[in-house]
């Protein structure tokens, strides 16, 4: 566990990233003991759940999606009372009825609400899971192109705070604070985060290459709406939208380089873009930043859009290796 | 602008942002400035001791510095912080600080990430204790870092360090500093305590146990350290330790209550200057028997933007120097004296001259409508015909008379006077006067005015309604509304320097987009100016709103208010001139409406502009004006003249979400009263005999 920001620069790209066939089954019988997916009615989430072969498959249903009882899946699922990401995740696994330590776990990250996904990695680490598979299915395109809203109408009501398990050990010296935002389509969320850490130097990380060719332009157009909040001195970096390992490596490199120039006093990470990038942020934090003056912050909303994409273009499998607690 | 063009345009402008042309107004927030830049770009107000008189850094009385977003709180507070004292007193730091009489310890509440001190299965009162301890550790480190820095610069202080440290170590309830002989070792100890507390707080989310040991009593470092430092370090003996606590709005209510308690129980040689947004103070309560801190007793309040607005001349001069300072690194700003600076700045914008008769502003109208009817005459003709059909156009008996009236009111070379003539005719019409006679009388007055006579009702009309009539002309003739020139920009910002910078930033960006060389070549064009102003106004409307459902409700209410003002301004016979303010008896409106008026004020969308005696009673009503930044959004007046007296029902329809369904009716009723031919009166179902005899062409349907 590091207490010094950016002292090392790690390469995460040795990890396995595999494209799975869209047609046919996903996985072999003994590949995964447990498969968990976040329920949404999006085609790409439902199809992957159907196609995955695992000893036990279970949906986690998030209250923020606001599904009515008759809209819930017929398969094994968990829907609890609204709680924060830590409480809800723990309640889910408590209700699971078996210890997942030492088991092969696969998580479809596609439908996850970001703070839950971020906390999940921390939870796995605490539970002694050193390795798990994460799936992500790409849409053919987002439903309303560059106007797609992921956090619904509640984006303007978002409250920014740290994600449980990623709260860090911050410094009273705020003279060179840095905020790295992986900028998604929700410019309102970018604005909220940028305003919350108004004083920090901003770095925007765009998904490039993007999932589909036109998505980069859509992304930049939307992110531009947050220009005033992000400020004129924000710098731009790129990491592939579908690669958590390159994302983690890019983060490691950015922070290391910034720190070389001038020691960062506090570092804030805010992953607002694709789920693979979210996994990359969490992985980077758990590997390099725990115990340092850094945290992951997120603009929490009361509700999120259930279906943001249409179609199923590709399915990725990432084998994520977590550090020891 | 269609959506496709808008998108291309946005992308191109994003390209210009990345171009080599640096925008001197790019940085609009103090947080984006380094300490050196805060110092270099500092502009003081010219009166007395400037901002020092406002913030009173040597006064032991704690102060709340409240202001809207962009009023300059952070810039001001950082100016008085140690980091800036250091820059200002580079030659002899200690002497400089002694001369200043204070040591500014700047704390940004956002850095505390205070929201994590809640929930996680723990009791609220436990979190209050933990936060209080954390705050002590945080403030203690900031103070010691300052002192360490000071000692590095001053040998006199360094010699006193060991004995001072022994006393500082005694402040801890739980030993741990050992035989600390340096400030650095005590600070390291505080850092370790903070680290272990952080770990306990963070792990609590997973373990549901809060395993924290509290090693300090409340206030022991906050007050104890300055006392010991001032006692042992002779040069600091008469120095006031000023805790500059910024972003107070980032603390929760129980956390603010703790800081309020520190304010209430403050001990010499300490004081607090607390910076917060207008909505940022959640409570004045304290943990001292739940007593409230009172203005004048426990603290004083600086209402920053309000103070800046209150002295218009001073704010104008301050703004001009602020602009000149930004421009000085971009273009050679004339070493202008105070007198010539305004002229220099005015010359940067292509501002068409104005005159009594508005020949320049309206000069293109005669050409544009050559051979055709001007839109306002077309509208007058339609209304007169409708009036005749409905039997409500006194004095008109033949179709020819409509033509006569219109010809009588024409003043082809002076469209402003034509508008004034029509406005006066509508007034006469509203009063039930014979329209043919009225037109003749108005034309006579118009001729006198055109000949230079400046007295009587015609002159009064133009004195009061000229801006509205020009706005109507612009609208009717397809021109942009005018909010032009540096003076208008300064007036629009109205106590919010950030808004001024945003206006200039947008204008610059549009000028570059149009291929101009802003501030370097010719004056900035009218079209770049207009586009920049419109963009800044829209930005303010969209982003100067609070989060949460209340934010949307306030925005909707302001939208309704703006729509009402617009409806009135562009009506045939506006009852109030330059209407951008309203008065009301707040005691009679619904609690919901009161709440949103209050919130709109706290978010600086509405500005309290004093009291207004009600015309019909002895009552004195409160008066609010829409923030001037919003005026371009609805094309309403920048400067307030008339004030619209709203009934409680009308206020409720605007501000009470539950009664907003009645707004359209309220709007229509108001505007109908100012609209020909009926002026709010219900048309009679059967016109009188004489009026029932339709003129040729009036009964075609």
């Amino acid at each position: 566990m590091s207490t010094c920001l950016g002292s090392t620069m790690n390469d995460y790209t040795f990890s396995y990233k595999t494209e799975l066939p869209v047609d046919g089954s996903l996985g072999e019988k003994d590949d995964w003991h447990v498969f968990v997916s976040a329920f949404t009615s999006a085609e790409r989430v439902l199809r992957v759940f159907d196609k995955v072969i695992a000893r036990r498959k279970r949906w986690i249903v998030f209250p923020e999606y606001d599904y009515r009882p008759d809209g819930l899946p017929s398969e094994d699922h968990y829907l609890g009372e609204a709680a924060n990401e830590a409480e809800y995740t723990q309640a889910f696994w408590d209700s699971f009825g078996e210890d997942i330590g030492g088991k092969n776990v696969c998580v479809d990250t596609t439908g996850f609400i970001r703070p839950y996904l971020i906390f999940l990695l921390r939870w796995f680490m605490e539970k002694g899971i050193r390795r798990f598979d994460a799936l992500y299915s790409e849409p053919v395109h987002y439903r309303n192109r560059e106007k797609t809203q992921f956090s619904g109408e509640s984006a303007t009501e978002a409250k920014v705070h740290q994600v449980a398990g990623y709260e860090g050990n911050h410094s009273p010296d705020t003279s060179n604070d840095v905020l790295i935002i992986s900028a998604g389509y929700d410019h309102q969320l970018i604005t909220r985060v940028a305003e919350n850490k108004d004083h920090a130097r901003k770095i925007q990380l765009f998904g490039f290459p993007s999932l589909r060719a036109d998505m980069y332009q859509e992304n930049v157009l939307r992110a531009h709406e947050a220009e005033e909040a992000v400020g004129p001195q924000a710098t731009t970096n790129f990491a592939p939208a579908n690669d958590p390992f390159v994302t983690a490596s890019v983060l490691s490199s950015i922070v290391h380089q910034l720190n070389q120039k001038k020691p960062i006093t506090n570092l804030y990470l805010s992953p607002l873009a694709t789920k693979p990038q979210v996994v990359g942020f969490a992985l980077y934090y758990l590997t390099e930043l725990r115990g340092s003056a850094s945290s992951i912050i997120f603009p929490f909303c009361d509700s999120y859009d259930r279906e943001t994409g249409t179609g199923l273009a590709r399915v990725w499998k990432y084998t994520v290796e977590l550090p020891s607690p | 602008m269609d959506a496709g063009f808008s998108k291309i345009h946005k992308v191109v402008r994003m390209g210009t942002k990345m171009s080599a042309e640096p925008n001197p107004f790019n940085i609009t927030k103090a947080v984006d400035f380094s300490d050196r830049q805060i110092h270099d770009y500092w502009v003081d107000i010219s009166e007395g001791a400037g901002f020092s008189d406002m913030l009173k850094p040597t006064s032991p009385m704690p102060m709340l510095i409240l202001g809207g977003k962009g009023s300059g709180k952070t810039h001001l507070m950082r100016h008085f912080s140690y980091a800036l004292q250091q820059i200002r007193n580079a030659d002899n730091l200690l002497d400089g600080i002694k001369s200043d009489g204070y040591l500014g310890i700047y704390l940004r509440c956002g850095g505390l990430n205070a929201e994590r001190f809640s929930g996680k299965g723990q009791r609220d009162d436990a979190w209050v204790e933990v936060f209080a301890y954390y705050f002590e550790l945080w403030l203690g480190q900031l103070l010691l870092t300052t002192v360490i820095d000071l000692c590095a610069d001053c040998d006199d202080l360094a010699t006193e360090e060991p004995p001072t440290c022994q006393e500082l170590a005694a402040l801890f309830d739980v030993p741990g500093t050992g035989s600390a002989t340096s400030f650095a070792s005590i600070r390291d100890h505080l850092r370790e305590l903070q680290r272990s507390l952080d770990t306990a707080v963070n792990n609590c989310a997973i373990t549901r146990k809060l395993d924290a040991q509290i090693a300090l009593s409340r206030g022991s470092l906050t007050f104890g350290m300055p006392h010991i430092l001032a006692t042992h370090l002779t040069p600091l003996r008469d120095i006031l330790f000023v805790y500059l606590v910024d972003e107070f709005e980032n603390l929760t209510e129980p956390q603010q209550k703790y800081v309020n308690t520190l304010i209430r129980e403050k001990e010499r040689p300490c004081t607090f200057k607390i910076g917060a947004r207008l909505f940022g103070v959640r409570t004045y309560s304290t943990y001292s028997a739940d007593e409230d801190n009172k203005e004048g007793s426990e603290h004083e309040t600086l209402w920053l933007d309000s103070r800046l607005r209150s002295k218009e001349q001073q704010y104008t001069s301050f703004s001009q120097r602020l602009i000149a300072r930004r421009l000085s690194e971009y273009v050679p700003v004339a070493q202008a004296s105070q007198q010539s600076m305004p002229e220099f700045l005015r010359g940067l914008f292509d501002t068409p001259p104005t005159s009594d008769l508005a020949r320049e502003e309206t000069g293109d109208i005669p050409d544009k409508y050559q051979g055709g009817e001007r839109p306002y005459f077309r509208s007058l003709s339609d209304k007169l015909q409708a009036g005749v059909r409905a039997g409500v156009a006194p004095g008109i008996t033949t179709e020819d008379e409509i033509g006569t009236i219109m010809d009588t009111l024409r003043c082809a070379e002076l469209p402003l006077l034509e508008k004034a003539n029509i406005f006066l005719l509508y007034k006469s019409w509203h009063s039930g006067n014979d329209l043919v006679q009225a037109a003749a009388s108005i034309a006579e007055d118009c001729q006198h005015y055109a000949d230079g006579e400046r007295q009587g009702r015609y002159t009064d009309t133009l004195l009061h309604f000229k801006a509205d009539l020009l706005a109507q002309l612009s609208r009717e003739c397809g021109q942009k509304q005018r909010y032009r020139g540096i003076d208008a920009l300064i007036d629009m910002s109205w106590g919010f320097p950030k808004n001024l910078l945003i206006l200039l930033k947008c204008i610059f960006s549009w000028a570059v987009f149009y291929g101009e060389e802003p501030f370097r070549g010719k004056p900035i064009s009218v079209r770049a100016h207009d586009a920049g102003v419109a963009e800044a106004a829209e930005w303010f409307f969209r982003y100067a709103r609070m989060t949460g459902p209340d934010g949307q409700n306030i925005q909707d209410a302001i939208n309704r208010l703006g729509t009402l003002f617009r409806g009135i301004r562009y009506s045939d016979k506006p009852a109030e001139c330059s209407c951008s303010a309203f008065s009301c008896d707040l005691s009679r409106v619904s609690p919901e409406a009161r709440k949103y008026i209050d919130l709109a004020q706290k978010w600086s969308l509405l500005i309290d502009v004093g009291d207004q005696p009600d015309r019909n009673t002895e009552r004195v009503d409160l008066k609010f004006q829409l923030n001037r930044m919003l005026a371009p959004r609805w094309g309403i007046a920048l400067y307030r003249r008339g004030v619209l007296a709203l009934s409680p029902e009308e206020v409720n329809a605007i501000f009470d979400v539950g009664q907003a369904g009645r707004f359209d009716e309220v709007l229509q009723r108001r505007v109908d009263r100012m609209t020909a031919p009926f002026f709010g009166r219900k048309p009679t179902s059967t016109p009188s005999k004489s009026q029932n005899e339709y003129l040729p062409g009036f009964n075609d349907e």
Side-chain angles (χ1 to χ4, degrees):
Chain A
M1 189 163 74
S2 166
T3 55
C4 185
L5 271 171
S7 54
T8 57
M9 186 167 68
N10 288 356
D11 183 1
Y12 297 80
T13 54
F14 61 84
S15 302
Y16 289 106
K17 172 192 167 196
T18 320
E19 185 175 352
L20 301 179
V22 173
D23 299 317
S25 302
L26 298 174
E28 299 292 332
K29 189 180 175 189
D30 290 325
D31 278 357
W32 298 311
H33 298 113
V34 172
F35 173 72
V36 174
S37 180
F39 178 74
T40 80
S41 39
E43 177 196 355
R44 54 186 172 139
V45 172
L46 299 175
R47 269 178 69 186
V48 167
F49 191 89
D50 276 350
K51 287 148 62 69
V52 161
I53 296 173
R55 288 191 195 168
R56 185 169 175 194
K57 300 202 285 188
R58 197 176 198 217
W59 291 109
I60 180 168
V61 185
F62 294 116
E64 290 89 338
Y65 283 141
D66 199 22
Y67 279 105
R68 292 155 54 119
D70 58 357
L72 293 174
S74 54
E75 298 90 355
D76 182 17
H77 67 267
Y78 172 82
L79 170 63
E81 293 291 314
N84 69 32
E85 63 280 8
E87 290 163 355
Y88 201 80
T89 303
Q90 291 172 70
F92 171 79
W93 290 105
D94 288 348
S95 74
F96 204 69
E98 54 182 296
D99 183 9
I100 55 166
K103 293 192 171 157
N104 292 337
V105 178
C106 179
V107 176
D108 182 2
T109 62
T110 312
F112 262 81
I113 293 173
R114 289 172 181 76
Y116 292 94
L117 179 58
I118 296 166
F119 182 77
L120 184 66
L121 266 71
R122 174 71 198 245
W123 175 252
F124 281 169
M125 195 188 83
E126 295 296 331
K127 289 290 154 189
I129 293 178
R130 297 277 76 80
R131 175 190 291 195
F132 74 99
D133 287 330
L135 304 185
Y136 178 68
S137 43
E138 296 181 9
V140 175
H141 56 75
Y142 289 122
R143 204 177 48 202
N144 295 322
R145 300 286 176 178
E146 85 276 6
K147 293 191 174 66
T148 307
Q149 292 232 323
F150 293 80
S151 45
E153 289 302 309
S154 64
T156 57
E157 301 159 20
K159 289 185 181 133
V160 180
H161 55 84
Q162 295 159 307
V163 176
Y166 296 80
E167 293 162 311
N169 185 276
H170 284 278
S171 162
D173 179 1
T174 57
S175 59
N176 191 34
D177 286 6
V178 171
L179 166 65
I180 303 179
I181 306 171
S182 72
Y185 278 37
D186 270 331
H187 67 91
Q188 298 271 22
L189 297 187
I190 299 172
T191 300
R192 292 282 158 255
V193 169
E195 286 181 343
N196 186 267
K197 295 298 168 211
D198 210 8
H199 65 283
R201 178 180 171 188
K202 319 285 187 311
I203 291 166
Q204 290 199 90
L205 188 68
F206 283 104
F208 189 82
S210 51
L211 300 182
R212 308 253 72 78
D214 51 348
M215 288 178 182
Y216 173 69
Q217 284 90 337
E218 291 174 3
N219 193 175
V220 172
L221 273 172
R222 285 298 298 276
H224 180 65
E225 300 284 327
E227 182 200 13
E228 185 53 41
V230 172
Q233 293 166 329
T235 52
T236 301
N237 282 269
F238 304 95
N242 61 9
D243 196 326
F245 307 121
V246 176
T247 300
S249 301
V250 167
L251 285 172
S252 185
S253 166
I254 293 170
V255 173
H256 182 72
Q257 285 173 26
L258 285 175
N259 211 46
Q260 293 289 308
K261 284 183 193 162
K262 185 181 177 189
I264 297 172
T265 46
N266 291 286
L267 173 67
Y268 296 95
L269 305 175
S270 192
L272 306 179
T274 61
K275 304 297 160 55
Q277 288 201 338
V278 171
V279 171
F281 270 66
L283 177 63
Y284 165 63
Y285 185 97
L286 293 175
T287 309
E288 298 190 40
L289 298 182
R290 277 180 301 140
S292 67
S294 60
S295 48
I296 293 185
I297 58 173
F298 193 81
F300 289 77
C301 302
D302 290 339
S303 66
Y304 297 86
D305 223 335
R306 303 163 182 171
E307 295 176 59
T308 51
T310 57
L312 171 60
R314 287 192 289 192
V315 180
W316 291 102
K317 183 182 86 171
Y318 313 106
T319 301
V320 180
E321 297 194 21
L322 296 169
S324 307
Chain B
M1 208 159 27
D2 64 47
F5 178 73
S6 166
K7 194 182 288 183
I8 294 164
H9 171 251
K10 193 190 291 178
V11 173
V12 175
R13 285 193 59 233
M14 284 162 66
T16 63
K17 183 193 157 198
M18 290 179 240
S19 75
E21 196 67 65
N23 188 332
F25 302 102
N26 237 349
I27 297 182
T28 58
K29 296 179 287 188
V31 289
D32 289 329
F33 273 148
S34 65
D35 290 329
R36 168 56 65 182
Q37 286 171 314
I38 289 279
H39 174 263
D40 290 350
Y41 286 100
W42 174 256
V43 173
D44 212 331
I45 46 175
S46 48
E47 219 171 66
F51 281 110
S52 224
D53 276 351
M54 285 194 197
L55 190 124
K56 302 178 188 169
T58 54
S59 163
M61 175 67 109
M63 177 183 277
L64 295 182
I65 303 161
L66 303 182
K69 190 176 182 178
S71 56
K73 295 179 299 296
T74 296
H75 209 122
L76 183 63
M77 292 177 78
R78 282 179 67 187
H79 177 77
F80 291 99
S81 69
Y82 170 73
L84 272 287
Q85 288 182 288
Q86 205 176 16
I87 293 171
R88 283 197 295 276
N89 301 301
D91 292 342
N92 192 327
L93 182 57
L94 198 56
D95 278 356
I97 285 174
K98 280 200 279 193
S99 159
D100 287 346
Y102 68 91
L103 189 64
I105 298 115
Y106 181 78
L107 182 156
R108 210 189 295 274
C109 290
L112 291 163
N113 297 300
E115 71 291 332
R116 70 200 157 112
F117 299 97
S118 64
K120 299 175 181 172
Q122 309 303 314
R123 294 191 332 270
D124 289 346
D125 55 347
W127 282 124
V128 170
E129 292 300 324
V130 171
F131 176 77
Y133 177 40
Y134 198 84
F135 196 79
E136 284 292 310
L137 295 173
W138 197 266
L139 216 49
Q141 289 176 74
L142 285 170
L143 176 53
L144 281 176
T145 300
T146 305
V147 174
I148 289 165
D149 199 80
L150 204 50
C151 287
D153 221 60
C154 316
D155 294 340
D156 289 359
L157 294 178
T159 53
E160 296 297 327
E161 195 170 344
T164 312
C165 288
Q166 279 179 15
E167 280 212 40
L168 290 177
L171 293 172
F172 292 83
D173 296 341
V174 178
T177 52
S179 54
T181 54
S182 71
F183 295 131
S185 61
I186 295 179
R187 184 186 59 181
D188 290 346
H189 180 61
L190 291 177
R191 178 78 181 128
E192 272 315 306
L193 291 174
Q194 184 213 321
R195 195 182 295 280
S196 102
L197 186 57
D198 272 327
T199 305
V201 169
N202 299 349
N203 286 345
C204 184
I206 298 165
T207 61
R208 320 297 292 166
K209 288 182 199 151
L210 184 54
D211 196 10
Q213 186 189 29
I214 292 177
L216 287 161
S217 306
R218 281 182 181 189
S220 54
L221 293 188
T222 306
F223 302 131
M225 283 173 61
H227 177 72
I228 291 168
L229 291 168
T231 306
H232 285 266
L233 308 179
T234 316
L236 299 182
R237 189 150 290 168
D238 298 318
I239 297 296
L240 188 64
F241 290 72
V242 182
Y243 292 116
L244 298 153
V245 181
D246 200 3
E247 302 176 350
F248 195 51
E249 63 274 8
N250 284 331
L251 301 186
T252 63
E253 189 174 326
Q255 292 165 355
Q256 287 195 352
K257 195 170 171 179
Y258 172 68
V259 177
N260 290 344
T261 311
L262 291 178
I263 291 172
R264 189 178 185 85
E265 296 173 357
K266 78 170 178 64
E267 295 169 16
R268 284 193 70 97
C270 301
T271 193
F272 292 86
K273 309 287 175 186
I274 309 283
R277 300 262 185 94
L278 295 173
F279 59 85
V281 179
R282 300 176 207 282
T283 180
Y284 288 92
S285 181
T286 67
Y287 289 111
S288 306
D290 282 336
E291 292 272 355
D292 275 4
N293 281 349
K294 298 233 167 35
E295 168 88 30
S297 175
E298 277 79 30
H299 66 84
E300 59 185 321
T301 304
L302 167 63
W303 302 90
L304 188 55
D305 54 272
S306 173
R307 176 76 76 88
L308 291 173
R309 269 193 305 278
S310 67
K311 296 191 173 175
E312 208 169 310
Q313 196 51 49
Q314 192 183 75
Y315 179 68
T316 300
S317 159
F318 162 76
S319 301
Q320 287 166 345
R321 281 180 288 116
L322 182 70
I323 298 166
R325 180 67 194 87
R326 287 294 182 99
L327 281 176
S328 65
E329 299 204 349
Y330 184 73
V331 287
V333 173
Q335 295 300 315
S337 66
Q338 197 55 37
Q339 282 72 29
S340 62
M341 178 64 75
E343 286 314 311
F344 167 74
L345 293 174
R346 281 182 198 123
L348 298 173
F349 298 89
D350 180 12
T351 318
T354 57
S355 65
D356 228 12
L357 300 169
R359 285 183 193 276
E360 299 80 1
E361 292 105 307
T362 61
D364 58 341
I365 293 175
D367 286 344
K368 186 172 180 183
Y369 297 100
Q370 200 164 28
E373 190 65 283
R374 296 178 185 180
Y376 42 91
F377 273 116
R378 272 204 307 272
S379 168
L380 173 63
S381 171
D382 291 346
K383 285 171 193 254
L384 286 171
Q385 293 187 41
V388 171
R389 273 200 297 271
V392 291
I396 303 180
T397 53
T398 68
E399 188 181 17
D400 287 348
E401 281 168 338
I402 291 181
T404 306
I405 287 174
M406 302 223 324
D407 290 340
T408 309
L409 298 181
R410 286 187 209 280
C411 186
E413 294 306 310
L414 295 169
L416 173 66
L417 299 194
E418 289 187 327
K419 277 295 294 182
N421 294 346
I422 293 172
F423 169 70
L424 287 166
L425 185 81
Y426 284 137
K427 281 187 82 170
S428 288
W429 193 349
H430 176 256
S431 304
N433 298 336
D434 182 302
L435 293 177
V436 178
Q437 289 175 18
S441 164
I442 291 166
E444 197 177 323
D445 289 347
C446 174
Q447 189 57 52
H448 289 148
Y449 189 87
D451 291 343
E453 190 178 303
R454 295 291 181 267
Q455 58 183 4
R457 70 161 183 168
Y458 201 92
T459 302
D460 288 346
T461 297
L462 279 167
L463 193 66
H464 290 106
F465 286 93
K466 181 181 173 187
D468 296 314
L469 295 173
L470 280 173
Q472 291 191 359
L473 265 175
S474 297
R475 193 191 209 199
E476 288 159 350
C477 298
Q479 296 171 337
K480 299 261 188 211
Q481 294 300 329
R482 296 178 179 86
Y483 302 93
R484 292 175 190 156
I486 196 69
D487 297 316
L489 297 178
I490 291 171
D491 291 343
M492 274 181 79
S493 68
W494 213 19
F496 297 92
K498 178 181 173 178
N499 290 353
L500 177 62
L501 296 173
I502 286 187
L503 282 160
L504 290 162
K505 176 182 166 178
C506 293
I507 291 170
F508 182 97
S509 162
W510 278 95
V512 171
F513 173 69
Y514 285 134
E516 300 172 20
E517 290 183 74
F519 306 125
R520 283 190 168 141
K522 295 175 186 168
I524 290 178
S525 68
V526 162
R527 68 172 178 169
H529 191 299
D530 288 348
V533 166
E535 184 181 4
E538 194 57 32
W539 167 84
F540 185 76
F541 181 67
R542 280 202 204 172
Y543 294 103
R545 54 165 270 189
M546 63 188 292
T547 55
D550 281 346
Q552 187 59 52
N553 291 338
I554 295 169
Q555 204 174 49
D556 292 344
I558 292 298
N559 201 18
R560 285 190 287 272
L561 184 64
T563 305
L564 176 65
F565 286 149
R566 179 173 59 187
I568 290 170
R569 185 176 217 204
Y570 296 100
S571 67
D572 294 333
K573 188 195 74 65
E576 299 290 350
C577 56
S578 298
C579 185
S580 55
F582 71 93
S583 65
C584 68
D585 178 3
L586 271 189
S587 68
R588 292 168 60 212
V589 307
S590 71
E592 182 88 343
R594 258 202 306 275
K595 170 186 152 185
Y596 286 116
I597 290 173
D598 181 51
L599 285 174
Q601 270 185 275
K602 285 183 170 160
W603 283 84
S604 307
L605 293 162
L606 280 184
I607 306 290
D608 181 348
V609 285
D611 302 329
Q612 163 106 348
D614 182 67
R615 283 175 185 165
N616 304 314
T617 66
E618 297 295 312
R619 204 180 60 233
V620 174
D621 290 345
L622 289 172
K623 204 164 56 175
F624 302 97
Q625 184 172 351
L626 260 185
N627 191 314
R628 287 178 181 166
M629 275 296 280
L630 294 169
R633 198 167 189 277
W634 292 281
I636 59 177
L638 207 56
Y639 306 103
R640 179 183 76 252
R641 289 193 75 123
V643 176
L644 188 66
L646 293 178
S647 68
E649 293 70 31
E650 289 173 319
V651 172
N652 290 343
I654 295 167
F655 288 100
D656 185 334
V657 181
Q659 301 187 45
R662 293 192 49 246
F663 174 71
D664 287 346
E665 184 194 324
V666 162
L667 173 68
Q668 191 175 353
R669 206 167 54 222
R670 271 278 177 180
V671 176
D672 277 358
R673 272 187 253 163
M674 304 170 197
T675 306
F678 300 112
F679 298 103
R681 301 165 195 132
K682 282 188 179 170
T684 51
S685 52
T686 49
S688 62
K689 187 171 179 300
S690 62
Q691 290 162 334
N692 205 15
E693 293 162 1
Y694 291 108
L695 298 168
F698 283 144
N699 194 24
D700 289 348
E701 70 273 19

